[in-house]
Amino acid sequence: MGIPTVVDRMVQQAILQVMNPIIDPTFSNSSYGFRPERDPHMALEQARTYVAQEGREFVVDFDLEKFFDRVNHDILMSRVARRIGDKRLLRIIRRFLRAGLMQDGVCVARDEGTPQGGPLSPLLANILLDDLDQELGRRGHRFCRYADDCNIYVESLAAGRRVMESVVRFLEKKLHLRVNREKSAVATVGERKFLGHRLLLNGKLGISPKSVKRAKEKVRQVTRRNRGASLVQVIVELNRFLMGWVLYYRYAACRAELIRMDEWIRRKLRCYRLKQRKRGRSVASFLRKLGVPDKQASRLAASGKGPWRLANTPQAKSAMSTDWFAAQELESLVLKYDSLRS
């Protein structure tokens, strides 16, 4: 990330507001990232059409290695100059590209890349990658691109391999961009992810396992036991993240996954609350207040089980039930999903 100063950010935003209405209409219809009135769900819908209606069951999925850090300034400026004739504006844009970065109090020179964080960077990225879009369109390929995430849909594995070789050659020779061959592949659509989703052969969407893993990692960070934050604060932070997460995946067929996620999150919160009680006597007192019989509460607290195991016991589940969490204002993923789908 490269965050411009306040003045630079204001100037970049002013340039963007003038350039974008002129340049954006010239971009490919298969480009969806950082464009007005376009979003990831539109890209996913187009991809579904290629798979379900045209029978393109294979995808060429290539990964641009550190794209925003590796953009060649000369190549980018030559593409910008095709669309802008004002030399003063071109000089300003190049100065933004070459501006140094402050890292640990030291100014670091930059001779390549267009760092994320500035208002102008997304438009410049689209200008550069529009060469790729136009080349794919000229060849008649079916593709969807969102920023540097591009998938090309083909009818066979052999065709996909040919496309992969030619596209990699184009990117590396014409645009001087590096393709990460370890992360790139030709495979059936269900084996790869696009914008955090899995695309199934029947055209339906699912959540990719990596997206679920990243969401759980975020939950683990919020509910880590040594935070010292109140349960109320933890739930507020979780709600803020989880509601945005499920809103993004609302078109995916993932209800069963969300049910499992809800159960896992409640267990994490039960573990967090029990850990806060620290001593066995305090745990027993807490469970009694929530309706657990006296003997069961005392026996459970003295069992020697850790908070994670205690959180999965029938007594803890009964005390801190779904209704109890609803009273604490914890939002349910599956309920939110159902309301968005209805």
Side-chain angles (χ1 to χ4, degrees), residues 103-322:
Q103 294 182 352
D104 300 322
V106 178
C107 184
V108 180
R110 187 172 70 224
D111 55 9
E112 64 177 359
T114 169
Q116 301 179 70
L120 202 54
S121 291
L123 177 61
L124 296 177
N126 274 334
I127 290 174
L128 180 64
L129 289 176
D130 188 58
D131 274 22
L132 172 64
D133 297 341
Q134 299 303 327
E135 179 67 15
L136 294 178
R138 185 183 65 80
R139 298 181 187 182
H141 291 311
R142 301 290 190 268
F143 71 98
C144 294
R145 182 178 67 79
Y146 193 94
D148 58 334
D149 194 353
C150 183
N151 279 1
I152 306 170
Y153 298 91
V154 295
E155 295 179 348
S156 70
L157 194 61
R161 288 170 178 162
R162 289 195 300 270
V163 171
M164 174 67 83
E165 290 178 7
S166 62
V167 170
V168 168
R169 191 162 52 247
F170 175 84
L171 287 168
E172 294 185 342
K173 290 188 176 181
K174 296 290 186 180
L175 300 182
H176 290 199
L177 297 173
R178 188 178 301 174
V179 176
N180 189 327
R181 287 171 170 78
E182 292 182 2
K183 294 183 179 180
S184 303
V186 180
T188 58
V189 291
E191 295 179 51
R192 307 296 292 180
K193 67 180 180 70
F194 182 49
L195 300 176
H197 291 73
R198 283 195 313 125
L199 193 59
L200 308 179
L201 294 180
N202 58 8
K204 290 185 178 181
L205 294 172
I207 301 180
S208 76
K210 286 186 178 180
S211 298
V212 174
K213 183 179 179 179
R214 282 197 297 268
K216 286 188 172 183
E217 185 57 37
K218 175 65 176 180
V219 173
R220 288 189 182 98
Q221 291 176 8
V222 175
T223 60
R224 64 186 186 276
R225 302 175 195 177
N226 60 351
R227 280 195 61 190
S230 68
L231 184 66
V232 172
Q233 181 182 340
V234 169
I235 287 176
V236 168
E237 292 179 24
L238 280 179
N239 284 343
R240 189 182 303 125
F241 166 70
L242 294 172
M243 292 304 98
W245 188 79
V246 76
L247 180 66
Y248 179 73
Y249 289 103
R250 64 188 181 275
Y251 296 118
C254 59
R255 195 174 191 278
E257 184 67 51
L258 294 182
I259 291 174
R260 290 191 292 270
M261 280 279 288
D262 270 339
E263 293 174 350
W264 180 78
I265 290 167
R266 287 193 294 268
R267 184 177 179 183
K268 290 291 291 183
L269 289 173
R270 285 195 296 268
C271 176
Y272 186 87
R273 190 69 185 95
L274 291 171
K275 179 66 175 178
Q276 285 183 320
R277 306 303 294 189
K278 296 184 179 179
R279 299 182 183 278
R281 185 176 299 176
S282 180
V283 170
S285 175
F286 173 68
L287 293 175
R288 289 191 202 101
K289 288 180 181 178
L290 294 180
V292 177
D294 188 27
K295 287 185 179 181
Q296 291 186 23
S298 299
R299 189 181 305 117
L300 187 66
S303 66
K305 295 179 179 178
W308 180 246
R309 291 181 64 193
L310 287 177
N312 201 39
T313 59
Q315 297 92 327
K317 288 182 177 180
S318 173
M320 291 175 279
S321 63
T322 303

